[in-house]
Amino acid sequence: MFKHKPQRDGQAIDTLIGPQVTIQGDLVFSGGLYVEGRIQGKVLAVEGERAVLTLAEQGRIEGEVRAPVVIINGHLVGNVYADDRVELAAKARVQGNIHYQVVEMSAGAQLTGRLVHATALAAADEAPGELVHAHA
């Protein structure tokens, strides 16, 4: 194996899904996952583990994503649940809602869906039936 883990933008890559790879089914991971290929299914970080999902410009995910840190520069169809932060790079194309603590969105990124802050979810749970507005 590698003596030193490869890095991309300062993030260690533990698992690489190359551009010629298509995965059909759910994927559970920890550490750094870098996706250049296609995933049709849920992408879930192991609960309580450090995990960073990076979706490269040519990558595509069709399914729900749950991870502490999610960095998107490709195409994602599905909802995103990030315990820590979400970064939408310039080539990001997201169709779905993004649930986040912190969000960073570069010029050119496209989101068809809602940005939902974690405190908005907590407030909705405490006061069901009330309309809650999330600010990005």
Side-chain angles (χ1 to χ4, degrees):
M1 285 304 230
F2 302 110
K3 286 188 177 186
H4 301 285
K5 291 182 182 175
Q7 294 195 353
R8 182 76 112 178
D9 301 326
Q11 301 291 333
I13 299 171
D14 296 298
T15 306
L16 170 66
I17 297 175
Q20 303 302 317
V21 176
T22 298
I23 295 176
Q24 295 180 339
D26 297 347
L27 177 68
V28 178
F29 76 101
S30 63
L33 172 61
Y34 192 84
V35 179
E36 294 179 328
R38 183 175 183 173
I39 299 173
Q40 296 173 313
K42 294 179 183 178
V43 179
L44 309 168
V46 175
E47 190 79 25
E49 295 281 327
R50 181 193 67 80
V52 177
L53 167 65
T54 303
L55 181 60
E57 183 178 341
Q58 62 274 30
R60 182 178 180 93
I61 296 175
E62 297 169 15
E64 179 181 297
V65 170
R66 288 183 181 269
V69 177
V70 180
I71 302 167
I72 303 170
N73 198 29
H75 196 107
L76 191 144
V77 179
N79 292 332
V80 175
Y81 299 87
D83 297 334
D84 188 6
R85 75 175 194 279
V86 176
E87 295 178 22
L88 300 178
K91 301 287 184 174
R93 303 293 178 263
V94 179
Q95 293 175 283
N97 298 329
I98 296 178
H99 301 262
Y100 67 95
Q101 281 288 345
V102 174
V103 67
E104 178 181 326
M105 190 169 180
S106 297
Q110 295 179 8
L111 169 63
T112 305
R114 294 179 179 212
L115 288 170
V116 182
H117 192 269
T119 57
L121 287 176
D125 289 342
E126 291 173 7
E130 292 184 25
L131 182 60
V132 177
H133 298 281
H135 300 282

